[in-house]
Amino acid sequence: MNAVIACGGTGGHLFPGIAVAEVLQERGHEVLLFVSEKEIDHLALSTRSQFRFEKLPTVGFPSLYSPAIFGFIRRFGESLSICRSIYRKFNPQVVLGMGGFTSTAPILAGRLRGICTFVHESNAVPGKANRLAARIVRAVLLGFKESAAFFPRVHTEVTGTPIRTELKRLDRQVARQKLDLRQDLTTLLVMGGSQGASGINQAMIKSLAALRDTALQVIHLSGTRDERLVADNYRRERIPAHVAAFHHRMEEVYSAADFTVARAGAASLTELAYFGLPSILIPFPYAADDHQTRNAEIFARAGAAFLLKESELTPELLSQKIRDMSEHPDQLRRMSERCSSLVLEDAASRVVKTMEKYTEA
């Protein structure tokens, strides 16, 4: 079949969409990706020449009382027109939206053609775009079963959130060698998602003095803006660290780490669960509907993570939690087992099989 996946705008939408596209291609289907005009989409697809993709000018949905609503309507109309024109040539049988308003116009254009449409919701609390799009799709595919309650009038299926095929577990010793890290130290991974996280960077910098005498080394993915500042502070406190703005082979850092300090986006949590990494989760406080806190609560209830709110975070609290985890390997082992139990293996295949089932019917 010819399949459309609308997945641009953030790493949390893009990378699961790419994972589904990879499985579709493996199973002999033709795939077209709709992405946004953002730099992250361009960078992620620059190394994936096997995919045809088109950019859409859709922007985030503003307040109905904001003057920006007129710009949104204009750009949404442009996106819808582009989709309908492309569909006349590509003739898709199925459209999957991964969330965000980049996916809404492709879904509506698919509905207008009378073809199967789906949305995938990775988060525990669905976004505004998916709540609207759910009214016109055949089914909503869920990363967390907890979000089913938000879609009472549409069929839902729990598929899990897809992860990229290149994310394969590596031998820990080999992964640490690739990052020039020691083999004998507990290793902490600090990351803030595809955009970096200034709040986490600042919290870690303020906590380093209290971690100076801990048998710990750190992999810190800081984002571009704070990279030099973060690296300088690790050097000043003489804490061994691999600091980089980003790392494009995430399987290496996941495999090298024992535990993490991270945000709580659904795609990142799925990857952490796949690698069995216990976490200190600091949800992004301005996420829509506070959905990252709801995501983190699922992991905290399962005993796979500790939840710390950024508004309540202090250097003493964060450093103490890091020290407690690094000094208790038995606790880390138990948390790792609980974390691994939260991931649905082969989520991308589950999504594709669901799409095939509906189109065949």
Side-chain angles (χ1 to χ4, degrees):
M1 62 186 177
N2 291 351
V4 169
I5 302 176
C7 58
T10 71
H13 297 147
L14 181 64
F15 293 121
I18 288 173
V20 175
E22 289 169 338
V23 174
L24 282 165
Q25 282 197 336
E26 289 171 5
R27 294 172 70 88
H29 304 301
E30 294 293 324
V31 184
L32 168 66
L33 301 179
F34 280 119
V35 298
S36 76
E37 299 167 325
K38 292 184 179 179
E39 182 70 11
I40 182 177
D41 295 6
H42 172 75
L43 290 174
L45 291 167
S46 63
T47 58
R48 292 176 168 87
S49 57
Q50 73 271 34
F51 295 126
R52 175 187 170 188
F53 67 93
E54 300 285 347
K55 294 181 180 180
L56 294 179
T58 305
V59 295
F61 189 73
S63 166
L64 289 173
Y65 305 104
S66 167
I69 191 67
F70 299 105
F72 169 82
I73 292 171
R74 175 179 56 80
R75 290 169 68 83
F76 185 86
E78 291 173 6
S79 292
L80 184 61
S81 177
I82 291 170
C83 292
R84 299 189 73 179
S85 175
I86 290 172
Y87 287 2
R88 284 193 287 270
K89 299 175 183 177
F90 185 65
N91 191 30
Q93 283 79 51
V94 60
V95 180
L96 170 65
M98 300 303 296
F101 277 94
T102 298
S103 69
T104 310
I107 289 170
L108 178 57
R111 177 61 186 268
L112 292 172
R113 286 179 68 88
I115 61 178
C116 281
T117 54
F118 304 89
V119 293
H120 184 278
E121 178 53 63
S122 297
N123 293 293
V125 178
K128 192 180 298 182
N130 273 357
R131 293 191 202 195
L132 290 172
R135 301 175 184 180
I136 60 171
V137 300
R138 292 286 298 276
V140 177
L141 314 181
L142 305 176
F144 293 120
K145 67 179 185 297
E146 286 81 356
S147 65
F150 293 92
F151 301 105
R153 298 181 180 179
V154 64
H155 181 68
T156 60
E157 296 197 22
V158 180
T159 60
T161 295
I163 64 171
R164 295 161 280 171
T165 55
E166 66 261 30
L167 291 180
K168 302 294 185 184
R169 300 176 184 90
L170 305 178
D171 178 80
R172 178 162 289 172
Q173 183 173 346
V174 171
R176 290 184 180 179
Q177 286 175 344
K178 288 179 177 291
L179 298 170
D180 197 26
L181 295 170
R182 290 171 55 175
Q183 300 294 336
D184 60 331
L185 292 178
T186 301
T187 303
L188 168 65
L189 168 62
V190 180
M191 63 180 196
S194 58
Q195 305 301 314
S198 182
I200 287 181
N201 294 342
Q202 292 298 323
M204 278 301 301
I205 287 171
K206 294 173 183 177
S207 301
L208 292 181
L211 296 170
R212 190 181 301 143
D213 299 323
T214 306
L216 182 74
Q217 63 186 348
V218 183
I219 306 165
H220 193 131
L221 306 183
S222 63
T224 305
R225 185 174 62 179
D226 292 340
E227 181 181 8
R228 179 177 295 182
L229 174 66
V230 169
D232 288 346
N233 277 274
Y234 281 104
R235 279 193 294 268
R236 187 185 67 204
E237 301 298 342
R238 299 182 181 180
I239 295 175
H242 173 91
V243 179
F246 309 101
H247 195 81
H248 295 291
R249 296 184 62 85
M250 287 298 292
E251 66 275 14
E252 293 177 356
V253 298
Y254 287 143
S255 297
D258 293 294
F259 67 111
T260 72
V261 172
R263 291 299 195 195
S268 293
L269 289 180
T270 301
E271 293 175 1
L272 295 178
Y274 178 78
F275 285 87
L277 286 172
S279 302
I280 299 168
L281 298 176
I282 307 172
F284 180 55
Y286 306 108
D289 298 313
D290 200 21
H291 69 261
Q292 287 204 8
T293 297
R294 303 288 87 79
N295 295 345
E297 287 172 347
I298 294 172
F299 276 63
R301 284 196 299 268
F306 295 106
L307 168 59
L308 301 180
K309 292 190 176 182
E310 189 167 310
S311 61
E312 302 169 359
L313 198 61
T314 65
E316 294 77 19
L317 177 61
L318 181 57
S319 61
Q320 185 61 53
K321 190 64 69 177
I322 291 171
R323 183 182 289 107
D324 287 346
M325 293 180 73
S326 67
E327 293 176 353
H328 295 88
D330 289 341
Q331 179 192 36
L332 282 182
R333 195 174 303 114
R334 290 192 299 271
M335 292 180 70
S336 176
E337 292 170 357
R338 294 164 183 163
C339 191
S340 295
S341 71
L342 292 173
V343 69
L344 279 175
E345 298 280 355
D346 300 322
S349 294
R350 292 170 185 260
V351 170
V352 170
K353 289 176 182 177
T354 301
M355 295 164 68
E356 291 172 335
K357 176 180 68 177
Y358 277 84
T359 52
E360 289 169 359

